[in-house]
Amino acid sequence: MTNKEVSMEVREQHNTIHWFRKGLRFHDNPSLLHALRTSRHVYPVFVMDLDFMKDFKIRSGANQWRFVIECLQDLDSRLRAYGLRLFVARGNAEAFFAEHFRKWNITQLTHDVETEHYHRFRDAAVRKIAVDEGVEVVNYVAHTLYNIDKIIEYNGGTAPLTYRQFQKVLKDFGAPPQASETATAEHFASCSVPLEALRDERYNMVTLEELGMRCEHPSKFVGGETEGLRRVEKHLQNQGWVTQFEKPKTAPTSLLPSTTGLSPYFSFGCLSVRHFYHRLDKIYAKAKNHSLPPVSLQGQLLWREFFYVAAAQTPNFVVMAGNPICLQIPWYENREHLRRWRNAETGFPWIDAIMSQLQQEGWVHHLARHAVACFLTRGDLWISWEEGQKVFEELLLDADYSVNAGNWMWLSGSAFYHQYTRIFCPVRFGKRTDPDGTFIRAYLPVLKDFPAQYIYEPWKAPLDVQEAAGCIVGMDYPFPMVDHEIVSQQNLELMREIREQQRQITLLTLDLADRLTTRLSLSPQSSPNDPSINTQREETMRAAPVLREAAGRGNVPSTLTTTMRS
Ligand code: FAD
């Protein structure tokens, strides 16, 4: 709809609460736009419901809160420029709405569609209150490229569980819908907030102090739509980089993000993925050639979408037990090992530098995430991906329910990823793009004076070299907590065994084409025309409903359990 049409439209005279959760923006926010178009009074609300977060075990560290508060401040100042404000409510969301639907004489509630199970649960409860109070509820999809329920419906009620399958489904869907127009002065012109509410200090901005939190390090990612859009524009100016972008070629050791670094903005919805996707389209259209999914920039947005779809349809997606697509692995429980990994004390500088970057800044490159996730799980420590997921959820600025769980399952070899024989070496991986160890020196200053020869393996440096570097291994920096060569080999054997026992689960997220590659890479004699591959695929499809049903009951078939290693 054009601006002209908006002004010509017959306006309804609602009193509306627009409920911001994610979607912290003016651009491509159709539910906000709807509120503005149909209302006399609009109350933009953000509810800080800490008990809800506790109940659903949603973790959020100080850096993440700082980012969110910056987003809310940005939103508030933009709303104030048009005579509105942001109401930051504290406490239980349902109680807030039950009280304020009456207090503010509300007739309409607008909000984005969210797909996480806890959002759906809470939205259903709030909708019920709204219906009881005669309040109309209006919502639109804007956090994802597509309406993911529609994708699932189109795919026969199941989520495509491989990227290739997903792409096939999208081919029929066509391009994602265009972003809706940005809310501007014209949209705000006929909306106001009654003066009394505008001045009510109970809904003033939250602070870190109020939350009892403090950030130790300055922020490299300032939250908010204004900053997010500025960053997008800056990237899009570099059209050569945009068109040639190939994710695997970006460096995890770069001190500034070698990828876009936009993930925190997408996660909290300061930036619309549809906006970015279609801006990329325009640049691609002008280029002679450009990279393609899965490695291109649009391909990255599709990965995000892929995990959203998988998460929406898979029971217990963020845990292992009862999750039908996830290998059931008897991980070790070792609190001390987990603590050392989290606190950047593994004794492997490459791993510790990444964990230190995560603690300080809340963002690390995708391949660096690969390195630490593999190390924690199938590579070295054999600790459950759920533990890593929890740490990431708390420390990442871009923590995202679906994407985090999906990637952790991937890296731990529990689902989606089948080249499990590839274990990342905590010494060689970083060296490839940063032989001098600049990244390690930046994030582990204790090692900054080690010569390049030993920076990835300081324990191998002769004592006089350690003394000259001002860091004695065992005193100033720990020895490696495991022998990588030995444990990775043991873990590999264990993983092989588990995959063999739970073959049907592995096949659920394995494409036929991937299966051929895996098979060929493991056994050069096997033929791509091997009929057993099709048979196995059929077996898997037959097994799927059984697994789903079992997962729904919260248990997996007993034949799928493995014996715990001592
Ligand atoms: P770019 O490469 O510039 O990509 C653009 C956007 O595409 C990203 O901002 C993101 O929204 C999306 N994207 C890129 N890679 C992926 C991917 N592999 N899966 C899904 N979406 C992707 N990303 C999160 O946003 N939140 C998380 O909680 C999260 N947890 C992760 C946990 C692990 C163990 C791993 C290995 C990866 C995780 N990722 C997560 C995915 C990925 O690492 C980040 O999205 C990416 O590094 C963000 O940097 P960027 O914005 O520069 O990405």
Side-chain angles (χ1 to χ4, degrees):
M1 194 178 283
T2 65
N3 285 346
K4 207 162 162 217
E5 282 168 322
V6 172
S7 51
M8 281 159 46
E9 181 186 341
V10 179
R11 296 182 62 86
E12 292 170 59
Q13 294 292 299
H14 277 295
N15 286 339
T16 300
I17 289 181
H18 178 74
W19 186 11
F20 283 104
R21 299 90 71 80
K22 300 179 219 158
L24 306 176
R25 60 175 189 257
F26 279 20
H27 72 284
D28 191 22
N29 194 338
S31 49
L32 173 65
L33 215 53
H34 180 86
L36 297 175
R37 281 174 174 155
T38 56
S39 312
R40 181 167 50 116
H41 291 141
V42 175
Y43 298 80
V45 163
F46 181 85
V47 186
M48 251 187 37
D49 187 345
L50 299 180
D51 285 339
F52 169 79
M53 292 179 67
K54 213 182 280 167
D55 288 350
F56 283 94
K57 298 193 172 71
I58 304 167
R59 295 162 192 82
S60 181
N63 285 346
Q64 203 185 97
W65 268 116
R66 172 173 60 188
F67 185 86
V68 173
I69 291 171
E70 287 165 354
C71 295
L72 299 180
Q73 285 168 335
D74 185 51
L75 205 53
D76 187 44
S77 61
R78 302 195 68 189
L79 287 164
R80 284 180 191 272
Y82 294 129
L84 305 189
R85 65 169 290 191
L86 184 66
F87 293 85
V88 181
R90 281 90 169 151
N92 179 273
E94 290 152 54
F96 171 83
F97 287 110
E99 182 189 343
H100 288 76
F101 283 157
R102 287 192 179 193
K103 184 174 169 183
W104 288 339
N105 199 15
I106 296 301
T107 55
Q108 180 174 253
L109 171 70
T110 55
H111 63 76
D112 252 9
V113 170
E114 309 293 358
T115 52
E116 292 83 358
H117 76 98
Y118 47 81
H119 271 302
R120 291 195 192 229
F121 177 82
R122 188 170 63 170
D123 289 355
V126 171
R127 179 181 283 272
K128 183 170 181 322
I129 297 169
V131 169
D132 290 348
E133 295 292 329
V135 173
E136 211 174 296
V137 182
V138 177
N139 44 44
Y140 288 89
V141 170
H143 192 64
T144 43
L145 292 171
Y146 295 89
N147 179 335
I148 61 176
D149 287 342
K150 289 256 161 68
I151 293 183
I152 291 166
E153 195 185 304
Y154 182 81
N155 197 44
T158 61
L161 289 174
T162 71
Y163 194 82
R164 273 202 193 90
Q165 263 178 286
F166 183 57
Q167 279 181 300
K168 268 188 217 150
V169 175
L170 294 189
K171 226 174 168 187
D172 295 343
F173 254 70
Q178 291 291 333
S180 64
E181 65 180 305
T182 298
T184 60
E186 189 169 354
H187 297 107
F188 281 91
S190 12
C191 300
S192 63
V193 174
L195 208 58
E196 195 189 335
L198 200 62
R199 290 184 179 151
D200 196 334
E201 293 184 357
R202 278 173 302 170
Y203 306 107
N204 280 359
M205 190 54 63
V206 60
T207 61
L208 273 183
E209 293 73 49
E210 181 184 336
L211 293 169
M213 291 180 169
R214 200 165 64 87
C215 292
E216 306 281 334
H217 298 273
S219 162
K220 286 200 176 171
F221 296 82
V222 175
E225 178 181 24
T226 308
E227 176 63 13
L229 286 171
R230 189 191 68 75
R231 290 182 181 223
V232 165
E233 292 310 317
K234 195 160 171 248
H235 284 304
L236 295 181
Q237 276 167 17
N238 196 348
Q239 302 198 351
W241 182 77
V242 166
T243 52
Q244 298 314 309
F245 182 94
E246 289 187 27
K247 184 69 161 267
K249 293 187 180 161
T250 59
T253 44
S254 159
L255 293 184
L256 290 174
S258 58
T259 48
T260 64
L262 293 176
S263 49
Y265 302 91
F266 289 132
S267 283
F268 287 100
C270 320
L271 273 182
S272 148
V273 279
R274 293 192 297 216
H275 170 76
F276 189 49
Y277 186 96
H278 289 294
R279 292 293 300 279
L280 291 171
D281 249 355
K282 286 195 178 129
I283 294 177
Y284 290 165
K286 280 192 256 155
K288 275 205 195 103
N289 55 47
H290 61 84
S291 53
L292 292 169
V295 297
S296 63
L297 274 175
Q298 280 189 339
Q300 303 313 299
L301 298 179
L302 293 179
W303 277 116
R304 177 181 184 274
E305 201 76 2
F306 169 72
F307 287 123
Y308 265 80
V309 172
Q313 183 65 8
T314 307
N316 305 306
F317 190 73
V318 298
V319 288
M320 179 178 80
N323 178 340
I325 63 169
C326 178
L327 281 178
Q328 302 298 303
I329 299 178
W331 301 106
Y332 296 153
E333 259 198 45
N334 188 327
R335 303 318 294 174
E336 176 56 11
H337 277 191
L338 179 61
R339 187 195 67 74
R340 288 184 64 172
W341 174 81
R342 181 195 162 108
N343 292 350
E345 294 171 14
T346 67
F348 290 97
W350 162 238
I351 300 298
D352 293 341
I354 298 167
M355 292 308 287
S356 170
Q357 184 187 29
L358 177 63
Q359 299 267 1
Q360 292 177 28
E361 296 169 10
W363 184 91
V364 291
H365 186 279
H366 183 59
L367 295 176
R369 298 181 199 206
H370 274 220
V372 295
C374 181
F375 184 88
L376 180 74
T377 58
R378 67 189 172 88
D380 294 78
L381 303 185
W382 200 261
I383 286 176
S384 167
W385 60 271
E386 284 181 42
E387 299 298 335
Q389 175 187 235
K390 287 180 207 162
V391 172
F392 269 31
E393 185 184 331
E394 181 191 335
L395 299 180
L396 277 175
L397 297 182
D398 61 32
D400 182 300
Y401 174 90
S402 314
V403 177
N404 198 21
N407 275 285
W408 271 100
M409 276 190 265
W410 180 295
L411 262 300
S412 62
S414 299
F416 304 115
Y417 182 72
H418 303 280
Q419 314 266 322
Y420 69 98
T421 51
R422 286 192 197 155
I423 290 180
F424 304 114
C425 172
V427 171
R428 288 192 301 273
F429 192 166
K431 254 190 203 173
R432 280 202 307 242
T433 48
D434 183 19
D436 290 336
T438 310
F439 180 81
I440 293 173
R441 289 174 215 283
Y443 289 102
L444 291 181
V446 66
L447 299 177
K448 74 178 178 0
D449 293 325
F450 264 87
Q453 185 188 355
Y454 297 113
I455 187 93
Y456 284 87
E457 300 171 283
W459 65 92
K460 288 192 175 166
L463 194 57
D464 59 331
V465 174
Q466 297 185 27
E467 278 168 354
C471 171
I472 306 297
V473 177
M475 282 170 59
D476 305 307
Y477 181 72
F479 279 108
M481 62 190 288
V482 288
D483 183 326
H484 171 72
E485 299 307 326
I486 293 175
V487 295
S488 59
Q489 197 49 44
Q490 287 169 349
N491 292 346
L492 184 60
E493 290 311 318
L494 196 53
M495 186 59 97
R496 210 190 296 279
E497 220 175 273
I498 289 166
R499 291 178 66 91
E500 195 51 43
Q501 286 177 22
Q502 300 180 38
R503 204 172 50 133
Q504 290 186 327
I505 294 184
T506 64
L507 294 177
L508 286 172
T509 57
L510 178 56
D511 235 341
L512 181 58
D514 292 335
R515 169 135 189 82
L516 291 173
T517 339
T518 317
R519 204 178 170 87
L520 289 173
S521 70
L522 291 178
S523 113
Q525 294 87 0
S526 63
S527 150
N529 298 323
D530 182 347
S532 73
I533 290 170
N534 279 333
T535 313
Q536 284 171 13
R537 182 91 200 145
E538 281 155 22
E539 272 172 23
T540 307
M541 297 324 289
R542 272 201 302 275
V546 178
L547 290 168
R548 281 186 210 290
E549 199 195 316
R553 290 195 307 269
N555 54 11
V556 288
S558 58
T559 48
L560 299 176
T561 53
T562 55
T563 42
M564 178 80 86
R565 273 206 307 181
S566 59

